[in-house]
Amino acid sequence: MIRLEGVHKRFGSLVVLNGISFEIKKGELVALLGGSGSGKSVLLKHIAGLIKPDKGKIFINGAEIASLNKKELESVRKGFGFLFQGGALFDSLTVFENVAFPLKEKTKLPKEQIEEMVFRYLELVGLRGSEGKYPSQISGGMVKRAALARALITDPKIMLFDEPTTGLDPQMSLSILSLINSVHKRLELTGMIVTHAIPTVFKITKRVILLHKGKVAFDGTPQDFMDSKDPVIRQFLGEEEDVI
Amino acid sequence: MFLFLLQSLVLCFTPPIKVGLFLRQIRFIGAQSLVVILLTGAFSGMVLGFQGYYSLSRFGSEAFLGPAVGLALIKEIGPVISALMVTGRAGSAIAAEIGIMRISEQIDALELMGLNPLRYLVVPKLLAAVISVPLLTSIFDVTGIIGGYLIGVKLLGVGSGVYFGEMANYVDMKDVLEGIWKSLSFSVIIVWVCCFKGYYTGIYTGFGAEGVSRATTQAVVTTSVLILLWDYVMTSLLF
């Protein structure tokens, strides 16, 4: 469903991705780990077609994303959901309007049905009662939850989560991850979660990819990841300080 | 940059047009610029009244104060100063707003929803500016003519009938149309440059608050220079 072949990206002299290759099968949910600035968000944006690689190819459902024209790319993106690190809610719209936005703009659903769906998803992310507020009037965690509701409301087939639990308290983090898990199971969602919530995220993912210095340093199960003696992984987990 | 304008212009003629956003921009670019236009229009006209009277009285031609004020305002000063005022008031805000949307990934979010950001961010502003700026220019001209009248007629003693009568004799429809064509083209320049600078914040100006501030400054400076440059081109073509 998602396949990367030797993806390279550099910004000026900074090499961010240095030959990334992996494949994610349909229905698979993968945790993408890595230190700050290791290129996780950049990699997600490549998969979503927001950034083009300098070298290498990215395939979504067999179609190479960089070679698609605007119309084809829009049609591929119809099945996409993306939770941005900062939420990316529209400042000028209320929480309700933000969550309703993709349905209002991309579907012909009646107003009442949109309203019912928005309230259902706001309930799911624990934001019922905040629907009339603007993004500037709510906390960072609430922004993230509203953004999650907006991303999930269109029932995407591929979902990319950029740090869905950062800024949330442990209980809310857990409920957001279990929400992702339930949506993943219900919709057979294919997805990738960038997160630092280790080991909580391993409750919902069966595969882990670790990025280090622009390359895939580990690709395997959470159990193997935790048991690994690889110094890069041990250092990432905060156990060895002077390896890298 | 030209491709950005071309795509936006094509979208202006391709439905659906976002009517709500368009009306909001009419209010923002048009209605909310009214006070500044009235003020600058009145004072520009008053200054022209003084300067025109001073220059013309040297040749004993005070009777031509009306046409002098009218032609200067309608053909040059009205369209140019109105456009510069709209650039300072609305253009800077447009660049900053779109720039913030870029760095906070709101534009990426629109793209990922399979929506064309230009349709939401540029087209309503372009349509609103094309309607608002010529109207604001007309208001500027009228206010300026009244300002010139107050100085020339009420303060310096030029005859009221002479002021307006000579103006009617010497100001043609061609002159009025020249002003309208100029203000129409200036409105496109304002939205085009300011939206472009905001839209590509990060790529050309760097990210963060500094990137947005740089994009806003560049937007205002580039638009102002382009307005004056294009004014010269149009004046030489329509002369």
Side-chain angles (χ1 to χ4, degrees):
Chain A
M1 191 132 189
I2 301 172
R3 196 169 83 243
L4 280 78
E5 290 178 1
V7 173
H8 288 73
K9 185 73 188 179
R10 66 159 64 217
F11 295 110
S13 59
L14 180 71
V15 178
V16 182
L17 304 177
N18 192 13
I20 301 282
S21 300
F22 60 77
E23 188 173 356
I24 302 177
K25 292 193 169 60
K26 192 181 175 204
E28 201 176 11
L29 192 60
V30 177
L32 182 64
L33 308 178
S36 292
S38 59
K40 306 181 294 290
S41 298
V42 171
L43 183 62
L44 285 198
K45 287 186 178 177
H46 272 85
I47 295 172
L50 290 171
I51 303 178
K52 285 188 177 174
D54 296 334
K55 217 166 87 182
K57 289 177 177 174
I58 298 164
F59 297 90
I60 308 289
N61 292 326
E64 201 219 327
I65 203 149
S67 66
L68 300 178
N69 63 33
K70 217 166 185 174
K71 274 238 161 89
E72 291 166 334
L73 189 61
E74 274 183 20
S75 120
V76 168
R77 280 175 175 163
K78 273 180 190 162
F80 259 94
F82 197 111
L83 175 66
F84 288 90
Q85 212 172 71
L89 292 184
F90 303 122
D91 298 327
S92 55
L93 304 181
T94 63
V95 167
F96 179 93
E97 290 165 337
N98 262 289
V99 179
F101 189 82
L103 293 180
K104 251 176 77 182
E105 297 298 323
K106 296 300 286 183
T107 69
K108 290 190 165 62
L109 292 175
K111 206 176 152 194
E112 297 74 28
Q113 197 180 339
I114 291 178
E115 203 167 285
E116 183 271 320
M117 285 176 74
V118 171
F119 281 125
R120 186 151 45 89
Y121 274 84
L122 286 177
E123 187 86 55
L124 277 173
V125 294
L127 278 182
R128 195 67 204 265
S130 302
E131 58 271 7
K133 291 182 177 162
Y134 285 90
S136 58
Q137 298 171 316
I138 58 177
S139 71
M142 289 163 87
V143 165
K144 199 152 267 187
R145 283 185 275 153
L148 183 62
R150 184 180 71 180
L152 292 176
I153 202 163
T154 50
D155 286 348
K157 301 278 171 285
I158 297 174
M159 187 73 214
L160 305 169
F161 304 92
D162 197 354
E163 303 199 15
T165 55
T166 306
L168 304 180
D169 60 71
Q171 197 185 349
M172 189 47 75
S173 295
L174 205 61
S175 70
I176 289 297
L177 286 177
S178 62
L179 171 66
I180 292 173
N181 194 32
S182 69
V183 177
H184 162 60
K185 282 182 177 159
R186 182 165 61 87
L187 302 174
E188 269 193 272
L189 205 76
T190 306
M192 205 159 207
I193 307 181
V194 170
T195 182
H196 297 291
I198 305 169
T200 326
V201 70
F202 297 154
K203 289 181 182 170
I204 65 166
T205 55
K206 292 187 174 67
R207 185 175 162 198
V208 181
I209 292 175
L210 175 72
L211 289 190
H212 179 67
K213 291 188 175 171
K215 290 180 179 293
V216 174
F218 177 87
D219 186 351
T221 65
Q223 192 58 51
D224 291 344
F225 181 77
M226 295 307 281
D227 294 343
S228 172
K229 298 278 184 278
D230 185 334
V232 171
I233 295 172
R234 299 317 325 157
Q235 200 267 348
F236 175 74
L237 292 170
E239 291 175 15
E240 289 177 37
E241 294 296 327
D242 55 349
V243 181
I244 305 162
Chain B
M1 200 166 166
F2 285 102
L3 191 65
F4 183 85
L5 175 65
L6 196 67
Q7 284 175 335
S8 306
L9 288 174
V10 168
L11 285 172
C12 284
F13 299 99
T14 324
I17 300 298
K18 300 291 161 188
V19 179
L21 294 174
F22 163 70
L23 293 175
R24 202 184 292 175
Q25 292 303 323
I26 285 273
R27 191 183 65 171
F28 177 66
I29 298 172
Q32 291 179 357
S33 299
L34 206 53
V35 175
V36 76
I37 290 296
L38 285 171
L39 278 172
T40 48
F43 285 110
S44 300
M46 286 158 80
V47 167
L48 278 175
F50 270 123
Q51 295 288 14
Y53 184 86
Y54 174 72
S55 305
L56 291 168
S57 62
R58 288 180 163 192
F59 312 104
S61 312
E62 301 93 313
F64 293 108
L65 182 65
V69 169
L71 284 171
L73 279 169
I74 291 169
K75 286 165 72 92
E76 281 305 323
I77 296 171
V80 171
I81 296 190
S82 301
L84 292 176
M85 288 299 127
V86 173
T87 304
R89 207 204 64 78
S92 55
I94 287 171
E97 181 198 352
I98 298 180
I100 289 170
M101 289 186 76
R102 166 62 72 195
I103 62 166
S104 60
E105 298 175 316
Q106 293 174 49
I107 295 177
D108 289 342
L110 275 172
E111 273 189 51
L112 276 172
M113 287 174 198
L115 302 168
N116 188 338
L118 299 185
R119 189 181 289 290
Y120 292 80
L121 304 177
V122 184
V123 172
K125 291 177 176 66
L126 201 51
L127 293 174
V130 162
I131 292 170
S132 302
V133 175
L135 283 174
L136 288 169
T137 303
S138 309
I139 293 168
F140 184 102
D141 293 346
V142 171
T143 319
I145 288 168
I146 294 169
Y149 169 85
L150 288 176
I151 298 301
V153 176
K154 296 291 176 190
L155 193 69
L156 301 172
V158 176
S160 171
V162 174
Y163 183 83
F164 285 116
E166 292 298 326
M167 193 186 291
N169 282 340
Y170 285 97
V171 179
D172 298 332
M173 199 53 191
K174 180 180 160 285
D175 302 317
V176 176
L177 283 176
E178 184 180 327
I180 290 174
W181 282 122
K182 280 186 177 178
S183 62
L184 263 176
S185 56
F186 294 159
S187 68
V188 174
I189 290 173
I190 294 167
V191 175
W192 168 37
V193 177
C194 294
C195 285
F196 178 84
K197 289 289 177 186
Y199 199 83
Y200 290 102
T201 297
I203 296 174
Y204 299 118
T205 59
F207 284 94
E210 205 184 329
V212 176
S213 99
R214 207 171 292 149
T216 309
T217 307
Q218 283 182 8
V220 173
V221 172
T222 312
T223 307
S224 304
V225 171
L226 270 180
I227 284 171
L228 294 170
L229 196 148
W230 186 244
D231 182 47
Y232 169 76
V233 173
M234 284 202 81
T235 304
S236 56
L237 286 175
L238 299 169
F239 192 66

